[in-house]
């Protein structure tokens, strides 16, 4: 184990304890959460509507799932007919507002599946908010050619 | 009336007549009409079944050419789902169509991965891969821009690929006819494909 891995492991252990003690985020609500399944252990995209019922804006910093080795907040951008996917640090949800993670825009990129995941499954995802708030949601896994959470 | 003005009027009238004639003989496309502006379909690649294929393999089919890659969980599926939905609406006529999904990421998109990916969307999608040169040539032919994998990238590497999102539509003879963009609606694509697939060459 080299120095960098050691630091990584230490940080991971530290964040795990932080998360275990993290308060729930009662102001956030998640609806229509689904994952577009892809074969061959390819990275999949997760979509949902996140509502903020509170009086203060919420900042989504990221997400994690026991079923995927990595979950990142991404944004697909279309400029001059070219499309690019870029990582996003955070996403702000206005007070009494909502943001939509939807195809062609913001989405979760879930990669390195830890088990065989197939359409019809449910995947647990925990959203992580600034200030330590968390929210766990079940995402339903939909076929590759699904157009939404329940078509 | 000065002679010059009479000529102008005559020209305008002739122009209007020509436009009318053009309308009568050409369908009202809702997508961009690119006939005569882009070259015929031409390539030598490997299909997702591992077979060598050329444009001639798909002669007789209306083809939709799209460049993408499988480590693209958001935009590429979105496009393929749109096309799948359109083909579903076309019914039996869609059997005369093929979606050619050309990978711009041949490093990670092996034939088996490509096969699993494209068949997850629609049986009429064909995955195409080839040497970096063959892919670059095909992209250049249609002025498609993409930023390929970084030099030395491995098949398990993590990297992003930028790619063009246009869909090039060819008739049964392999002539470039229409261009759809991510802004094109399913109804527009459906409308034009129904006309194109109905045209016997």
């Amino acid at each position: 184990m080299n120095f960098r891995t050691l630091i990584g492991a230490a940080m991971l252990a530290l964040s795990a304890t932080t998360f275990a003690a993290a308060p729930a985020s009662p102001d956030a609500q998640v609806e229509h959460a689904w994952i577009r399944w892809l074969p061959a252990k390819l990275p999949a995209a997760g979509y949902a509507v996140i509502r903020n019922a509170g009086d203060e804006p919420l900042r989504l910093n990221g997400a994690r799932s026991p079923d995927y080795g990595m979950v990142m907040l991404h944004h697909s951008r279309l400029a001059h007919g070219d499309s690019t996917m870029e990582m996003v640090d955070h996403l702000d949800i206005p007070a009494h507002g909502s943001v939509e993670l939807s195809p062609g825009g913001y989405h979760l990129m879930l990669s390195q599946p830890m088990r065989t995941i197939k359409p019809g499954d449910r995947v647990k995802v925990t959203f992580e908010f600034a200030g330590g708030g968390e929210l766990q949601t079940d995402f339903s896994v939909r076929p590759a050619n699904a157009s939404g959470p329940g078509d | 009336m000065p002679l010059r003005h009479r000529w102008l009027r005559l020209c305008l009238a002739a122009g209007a007549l020509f436009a009318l004639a053009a309308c009568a003989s050409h369908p009202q496309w809702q997508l961009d009409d690119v006939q005569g502006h882009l070259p015929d379909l031409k390539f030598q690649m490997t299909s997702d079944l591992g077979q060598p294929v050329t444009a001639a393999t798909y002669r007789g089919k209306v083809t939709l050419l799209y460049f993408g890659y499988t480590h693209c969980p958001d935009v590429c599926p979105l496009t393929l789902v749109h096309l799948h939905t359109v083909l579903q609406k076309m019914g039996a006529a869609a059997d005369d169509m093929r979606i050619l999904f050309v990978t711009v990421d041949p490093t990670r998109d092996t034939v088996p991965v490509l096969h699993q990916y494209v068949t997850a969307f629609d049986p009429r999608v064909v995955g195409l891969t080839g040497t970096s040169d063959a892919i670059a040539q095909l992209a250049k032919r249609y002025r498609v821009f993409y930023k390929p994998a970084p030099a030395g990238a491995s098949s398990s590497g993590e990297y992003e690929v930028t790619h063009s999102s246009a869909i090039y539509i060819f008739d049964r003879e392999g002539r470039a006819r229409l261009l759809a963009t991510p802004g094109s609606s399913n109804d527009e694509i459906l409308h034009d494909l129904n006309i194109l697939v109905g045209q016997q060459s």
Side-chain angles (χ1 to χ4, degrees):
Chain A
M1 186 183 277
N2 65 25
F3 187 61
R4 194 186 272 180
T5 332
L6 200 68
I7 290 203
M11 280 173 70
L12 205 67
L14 191 69
S15 58
T17 29
T18 317
F19 289 145
S25 191
D27 289 340
Q29 294 156 5
V30 178
E31 293 165 16
H32 310 302
W34 65 288
I35 288 169
R36 182 190 302 288
W37 174 84
L38 289 178
K41 294 190 166 186
L42 286 165
Y47 306 109
V49 177
I50 310 171
R51 295 189 189 285
N52 178 6
D55 297 328
E56 299 294 324
L58 275 174
R59 172 163 286 190
L60 179 67
N61 276 342
R64 66 179 192 276
S65 168
D67 291 331
Y68 288 91
M70 201 190 298
V71 181
M72 283 188 286
L73 190 55
H74 270 211
H75 186 219
S76 294
R77 211 163 37 89
L78 205 69
H80 313 298
D82 297 320
S83 92
T84 313
M85 230 173 35
E86 58 192 11
M87 232 177 91
V88 179
D89 273 351
H90 59 261
L91 184 57
D92 289 329
I93 308 152
H96 302 289
S98 64
V99 294
E100 205 173 333
L101 309 183
S102 62
Y106 287 101
H107 57 275
L108 296 180
M109 183 162 117
L110 307 114
S111 45
Q112 301 162 15
M114 312 294 274
R115 60 173 176 97
T116 306
I117 292 165
K118 54 187 190 310
D121 286 1
R122 299 190 79 77
V123 164
K124 287 201 186 310
V125 172
T126 302
F127 287 101
E128 301 163 354
F129 296 93
E134 294 197 343
L135 183 66
Q136 196 191 69
T137 313
D138 268 8
F139 276 62
S140 51
V141 181
R142 309 270 303 139
N145 57 15
S147 2
D151 54 342
Chain B
M1 182 189 285
L3 190 63
R4 201 153 44 100
H5 281 195
R6 223 180 300 166
W7 266 112
L8 186 67
R9 282 201 178 181
L10 202 64
C11 285
L12 284 173
L17 268 178
F18 181 78
L20 271 175
C23 286
S25 62
H26 286 91
Q28 285 293 310
W29 300 113
Q30 297 189 352
L31 303 172
D32 289 338
D33 183 350
V34 296
Q35 188 166 17
H37 298 288
L38 285 171
D40 294 352
L41 190 60
K42 186 181 170 193
F43 61 81
Q44 273 193 314
M45 308 203 84
T46 303
S47 78
D48 62 280
L49 292 171
Q51 290 159 343
V53 288
T54 68
T57 312
Y58 305 100
R59 206 44 61 82
K61 306 278 185 200
V62 167
T63 51
L64 291 82
L65 186 70
Y66 177 64
F67 294 79
Y69 64 111
T70 70
H71 281 66
C72 168
D74 184 45
V75 169
C76 304
L78 182 61
T79 304
L80 290 173
V81 169
H82 278 168
L83 296 179
H84 164 71
T85 310
V86 169
L87 262 55
Q88 289 293 95
K89 284 185 180 165
M90 290 181 76
D95 293 339
D96 279 356
M97 322 228 5
R98 290 293 179 271
I99 298 163
L100 306 178
F101 179 88
V102 182
T103 178
V104 293
D105 187 12
T107 311
R108 288 186 297 191
D109 289 350
T110 60
V111 165
V113 169
L114 198 55
H115 178 69
Q116 288 183 64
Y117 185 83
V118 297
T119 51
F121 291 96
D122 193 285
R124 290 149 299 203
V125 188
V126 177
L128 296 180
T129 185
T131 61
S132 298
D133 275 356
I135 294 167
Q137 265 180 31
L138 184 56
K140 195 177 168 195
R141 193 172 172 83
Y142 298 102
R143 301 163 205 163
V144 166
F145 164 81
Y146 66 97
K147 195 180 83 184
S154 75
S155 61
S156 57
E158 296 274 345
Y159 52 88
E160 297 302 337
V161 182
T162 301
H163 63 111
S164 166
S165 320
I167 302 159
Y168 299 80
I169 303 173
F170 300 84
D171 64 18
R172 295 175 191 267
E173 289 298 304
R175 288 180 297 239
R177 298 293 296 273
L178 299 162
L179 182 66
T181 63
S184 310
S185 71
N186 282 4
D187 284 346
E188 288 168 340
I189 299 174
L190 178 65
H191 173 271
D192 283 7
L193 287 183
N194 270 327
I195 297 174
L196 199 56
V197 83
Q199 289 181 347
Q200 298 300 324
S201 43

